[in-house]
Amino acid sequence: DKTLSSVLHLNRDALSVRDTLNKRYRIPVDQTLVIQNVVRAELKSKVSSFLRRLRNDSELIIYYTGHAYLDAYGQPQLATKDFKLRNTQATGLPLRWLIAAIENSEAKDKLLFLDISHEGSGSDLKAQPSSEKMLMILEEDRQDPALRSLNVITSCRLGERGMRSDAGGHFSDAIASAYTGLADQNGDQRVSLAEVGEYVRNLVSKKSQGSQ
């Protein structure tokens, strides 16, 4: 949809996070998956197929970057290649679906980095609140909360947008930097959830001069 605001660095951001994890932890190729610029049905198929292969001792890390918008019912919809802003509900992939798919996987530890609110001035961004707000919407239903065992780190808080330099997004750069080992504060050769959360938050705030 050419009416959507352009974000030029998304592929670079995704590959930066993937390459850092592969290099640092020597993750086998068949245990990583990069999906770029696909239609909704293909994204669902590839994600589902990958998650079905996980064992109950697996540690799962997912980085999602791209556009997402609220539909007419106020629900977050991920914008895949065949997404149309004028028909958000019918063409978007519900963020709740992605979270539920991860929750239902056999992985022991699950972490989602959610990077879905980007810089720009296009009119489409009026329907794109912060990534934290989109997650909060899914948690409003206390009878059926979206999150059970999944941990989520969002790219920005309420009222913020994801910022970037000429090289790429501040959020993805901080994630990649964290997993080089710089977030390992206690030196145990493992980057814990608390460590990566604190490191990413502090580095993004520094790079954005407190704006993100």
Side-chain angles (χ1 to χ4, degrees), residues 66-137:
H67 276 312
Y69 299 89
L70 300 185
D71 63 21
Y73 297 94
Q75 294 300 303
Q77 301 281 351
L78 305 178
T80 53
K81 187 176 182 179
D82 51 347
F83 175 83
K84 300 296 182 184
L85 187 60
R86 290 186 177 182
N87 197 9
T88 303
Q89 185 180 2
T91 61
L93 177 62
L95 175 58
R96 180 178 284 274
W97 176 88
L98 176 63
I99 289 177
I102 300 170
E103 286 281 13
N104 292 331
S105 74
E106 292 291 329
K108 178 184 66 171
D109 297 315
K110 308 165 187 176
L111 174 58
L112 170 64
F113 292 100
L114 194 59
D115 193 3
I116 54 177
S117 301
H118 305 283
E119 277 188 315
S121 57
S123 61
D124 61 305
L125 300 183
K126 295 177 182 178
Q128 185 182 90
S130 71
S131 46
E132 181 183 55
K133 174 61 177 177
M134 293 197 193
L135 194 65
M136 291 173 63
I137 289 171

Side-chain angles (χ1 to χ4, degrees), residues 196-208:
V196 73
E198 180 179 1
Y199 182 90
V200 167
R201 180 174 61 251
N202 291 339
L203 186 56
V204 168
S205 180
K206 180 180 179 180
K207 284 178 172 288
S208 66

Side-chain angles (χ1 to χ4, degrees), residues 162-174:
M163 302 180 70
R164 63 183 185 269
S165 65
D166 292 338
H170 293 330
F171 188 56
S172 64
D173 285 346

Side-chain angles (χ1 to χ4, degrees), residues 6-151:
S6 177
V7 188
L8 301 179
H9 58 81
L10 298 183
N11 286 351
R12 174 264 177 203
D13 287 355
L15 293 176
S16 174
V17 173
R18 190 277 311 271
D19 292 346
T20 298
L21 290 170
N22 281 355
K23 182 177 180 181
R24 171 75 177 180
Y25 300 101
R26 298 181 181 178
I27 301 173
V29 174
D30 65 348
Q31 292 183 24
T32 63
L33 176 66
V34 176
I35 308 172
Q36 297 173 308
N37 199 33
V38 298
V39 298
R40 178 176 56 171
E42 185 176 356
L43 180 63
K44 290 183 70 173
S45 175
K46 288 186 174 181
V47 168
S48 299
S49 177
F50 183 82
L51 293 178
R52 282 196 298 267
R53 292 167 28 211
L54 298 179
R55 304 188 306 249
N56 58 13
D57 61 347
S58 300
E59 180 179 356
L60 176 65
I61 298 173
I62 291 184
Y63 170 59
Y64 180 90
T65 184
H67 276 312
Y69 299 89
L70 300 185
D71 63 21
Y73 297 94
Q75 294 300 303
Q77 301 281 351
L78 305 178
T80 53
K81 187 176 182 179
D82 51 347
F83 175 83
K84 300 296 182 184
L85 187 60
R86 290 186 177 182
N87 197 9
T88 303
Q89 185 180 2
T91 61
L93 177 62
L95 175 58
R96 180 178 284 274
W97 176 88
L98 176 63
I99 289 177
I102 300 170
E103 286 281 13
N104 292 331
S105 74
E106 292 291 329
K108 178 184 66 171
D109 297 315
K110 308 165 187 176
L111 174 58
L112 170 64
F113 292 100
L114 194 59
D115 193 3
I116 54 177
S117 301
H118 305 283
E119 277 188 315
S121 57
S123 61
D124 61 305
L125 300 183
K126 295 177 182 178
Q128 185 182 90
S130 71
S131 46
E132 181 183 55
K133 174 61 177 177
M134 293 197 193
L135 194 65
M136 291 173 63
I137 289 171
L138 299 184
E139 287 294 276
E140 288 175 354
D141 185 355
R142 292 303 172 191
Q143 300 300 318
D144 185 24
L147 300 178
R148 301 189 306 273
S149 60
L150 172 63
N151 295 290

